[in-house]
Amino acid sequence: NAGVTQTPKFQVLKTGQSMTLQCAQDMNHEYMSWYRQDPGMGLRLIHYSVGAGITDQGEVPNGYNVSRSTTEDFPLRLLSAAPSQTSVYFCASSWRTPSTMNTEAFFGQGTRLTVV
Amino acid sequence: SQQGEEDPQALSIQEGENATMNCSYKTSINNLQWYRQNSGRGLVHLILIRSNEREKHSGRLRVTLDTSKKSSSLLITASRAADTASYFCATDAGTDKLIFGTGTRLQVFP
């Protein structure tokens, strides 16, 4: 099993460009989520999904879109990149939602994004 | 604002010593989890404690939970250099969201 796979690992964007960060998991997990990690801020939740076709906003959703057309994939789209979106992005998945049992989250290795 | 706040922000100890990290949170929870992050890597799940549990052990890890004080602590006994990492608590905040704290950076010197 590959677990949670994120691509790309590194990306440099110019201000105003758009791009999609890919996330795929092969564990048949219902719950998937995206976080950004900035120095001194810990991880902040951007968007999450409790199952295919269902997405919702997290703590810092502005400037990002998500969709969940399949159980396996949960791409994160930056609509118009801004320097404030320079960060490390992590995708995570778990069997069920965080408030239930079997909720251990598995993380990808991260995408380091720089917006210039 | 973030649900969890860890204390201390940074901790340096010698190998063999115990390391204690604390986490405070703001709202009612169903579960509280602890994760470890090695530099430049993704997070790895360590342990989960449910709101009706007060203490849980896993190897050299001991987690306590006090829901009346909305706080948890993670104790790593007999620390090793390989324990050097950042440690985060995370809660569900009674929702479908997994919210992380700001983390404690642990440095264990050989």
Side-chain angles (χ1 to χ4, degrees):
Chain A
N1 284 345
V4 179
T5 303
Q6 289 184 238
T7 56
K9 287 187 171 52
F10 301 93
Q11 183 71 49
V12 178
L13 287 179
K14 293 182 179 178
T15 298
Q17 285 184 318
S18 62
M19 81 159 295
T20 300
L21 278 62
Q22 302 292 343
C23 176
Q25 52 91 8
D26 60 359
M27 298 172 282
N28 203 30
H29 285 171
E30 287 188 353
Y31 187 88
M32 296 186 74
S33 52
W34 276 102
Y35 292 88
R36 60 177 288 173
Q37 186 175 28
D38 303 298
M41 297 293 293
L43 278 80
R44 290 184 292 169
L45 180 65
I46 304 172
H47 286 285
Y48 65 98
S49 169
V50 300
I54 306 169
T55 64
D56 209 341
Q57 296 181 349
E59 301 170 282
V60 288
N62 292 340
Y64 307 95
N65 273 358
V66 292
S67 60
R68 184 96 180 269
S69 56
T70 67
T71 299
E72 295 79 18
D73 300 300
F74 191 43
L76 177 71
R77 297 182 188 85
L78 279 70
L79 308 173
S80 178
S84 61
Q85 293 178 304
T86 293
S87 188
V88 181
Y89 291 84
F90 288 100
C91 178
S93 74
S94 59
W95 276 108
R96 300 287 185 265
T97 63
S99 61
T100 63
M101 297 173 61
N102 299 323
T103 190
E104 170 188 353
F106 293 81
F107 280 79
Q109 290 303 301
T111 295
R112 189 173 296 273
L113 175 69
T114 301
V115 182
V116 298
Chain B
S1 61
Q2 295 191 257
Q3 162 77 332
E5 297 289 337
E6 279 93 336
D7 171 59
Q9 289 187 334
L11 179 61
S12 295
I13 59 173
Q14 296 291 129
E15 260 189 331
E17 294 180 337
N18 295 340
T20 299
M21 288 158 267
N22 303 297
C23 167
S24 60
Y25 56 91
K26 298 175 182 175
T27 64
S28 297
I29 62 172
N30 294 291
N31 303 310
L32 185 142
Q33 305 180 47
W34 284 91
Y35 288 81
R36 183 186 73 213
Q37 183 182 35
N38 290 94
S39 181
R41 308 297 296 272
L43 279 72
V44 175
H45 182 264
L46 294 175
I47 196 165
L48 179 151
I49 186 166
R50 297 190 178 87
S51 59
N52 61 356
E53 297 176 312
R54 292 296 167 259
E55 187 170 315
K56 202 161 183 180
H57 296 254
S58 177
R60 293 185 295 113
L61 305 181
R62 172 178 170 255
V63 169
T64 62
L65 178 64
D66 186 336
T67 53
S68 67
K69 295 181 180 178
K70 293 186 170 58
S71 67
S72 174
S73 66
L74 171 67
L75 168 67
I76 304 174
T77 60
S79 296
R80 305 166 182 169
D83 294 327
T84 293
S86 292
Y87 292 82
F88 296 88
C89 67
T91 69
D92 61 277
T95 68
D96 285 336
K97 304 175 185 178
L98 186 62
I99 305 297
F100 283 81
T102 51
T104 292
R105 293 189 311 278
L106 173 65
Q107 176 79 50
V108 182
F109 292 99

